[in-house]
């Protein structure tokens, strides 16, 4: 639904009513629609104008993967570089943001990365290749990736990186 206001002023009458087709408050289809407006004074003089409304029907989409997606436990708690790469498409998506959630609440980097003209992005986070000895399912890092388009629409995806309990 698009809401707009059009006004017209006559030198003698002052403000005169404006009629637009389609009217303000109408539902517009995906694509470009021309709105035509006209105003007439009491003497029959008519003025016209128009503008376009563009409805983009393609919301953003974001996909991602981690390399490596499994970190082998290390007794010296090494920070391992993990590359997150993927694509983010949509109207005017030029950057993505990311947030790492660590179940141990120790290593939680966040930031932004640029999106190329082809929609590809890549960034590196450093994650600790360590898990508590009593953590039977291993340590999990969840990386939330968010793309926002120029119309304010948001798409998210998550990538999981795991430090297994047992070395495999």
């Amino acid at each position: 639904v698009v809401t707009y206001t059009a006004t017209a002023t006559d030198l003698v009458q002052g403000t005169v009513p404006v009629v637009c087709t389609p009217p303000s408050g109408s539902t517009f289809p995906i694509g470009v629609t021309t709105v035509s407006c006209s105003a007439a004074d009491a003497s029959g003089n008519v003025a016209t104008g128009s503008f376009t409304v563009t409805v983009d029907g393609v919301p953003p989409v974001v996909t991602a993967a981690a390399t490596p997606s499994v970190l082998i436990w290390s007794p010296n708690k090494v920070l391992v570089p993990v590359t997150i790469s993927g694509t983010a498409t949509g109207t005017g998506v030029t950057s993505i943001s990311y947030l790492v959630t660590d179940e141990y609440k120790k290593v939680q980097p966040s930031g932004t990365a640029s999106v190329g003209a082809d929609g590809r992005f890549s960034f590196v986070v450093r994650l600790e290749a360590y898990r508590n000895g009593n953590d039977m399912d291993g340590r999990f890092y969840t990386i939330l990736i968010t793309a926002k388009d120029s119309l304010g629409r948001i798409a998210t995806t998550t990538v999981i990186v795991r430090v297994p309990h047992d070395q495999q």
Side-chain angles (χ1 to χ4, degrees):
V1 175
V2 178
T3 304
Y4 55 85
T5 303
T7 60
T9 305
D10 180 75
L11 291 176
V12 176
Q13 279 183 255
T15 302
V16 292
V18 177
V19 175
C20 295
T21 306
S24 178
S26 294
T27 300
F28 285 72
I30 293 172
V32 178
T33 301
T34 299
V35 177
S36 300
C37 301
S38 64
D41 65 11
S43 300
N45 299 310
V46 177
T48 61
S50 65
F51 59 92
T52 59
V53 174
T54 303
V55 177
D56 180 0
V58 182
V61 175
V62 62
T63 61
T67 306
S69 61
V70 176
L71 306 177
I72 300 301
W73 174 80
S74 172
N76 57 6
K77 299 182 181 183
V78 170
L79 288 175
V80 176
V82 176
T83 300
I84 308 297
S85 57
T87 59
T89 58
T91 302
V93 176
T94 58
S95 69
I96 55 102
S97 61
Y98 63 89
L99 172 65
V100 177
T101 304
D102 168 18
E103 69 178 299
Y104 297 174
K105 301 194 183 335
K106 292 174 70 179
V107 180
Q108 299 191 5
S110 63
T112 60
S114 296
V115 176
D118 61 355
R120 295 178 192 264
F121 66 86
S122 180
F123 60 91
V124 176
V125 292
R126 296 178 60 79
L127 303 177
E128 189 177 50
Y130 170 81
R131 50 94 185 134
N132 290 335
N134 60 354
D135 190 347
M136 297 309 289
D137 65 350
R139 182 180 192 174
F140 289 88
Y141 291 96
T142 302
I143 300 127
L144 174 66
I145 298 141
T146 303
K148 185 176 182 181
D149 71 9
S150 61
L151 300 174
R153 297 175 296 189
I154 293 174
T156 62
T157 192
T158 56
V159 175
I160 305 294
V161 177
R162 186 170 76 93
V163 180
H165 179 268
D166 297 320
Q167 296 181 25
Q168 299 173 356

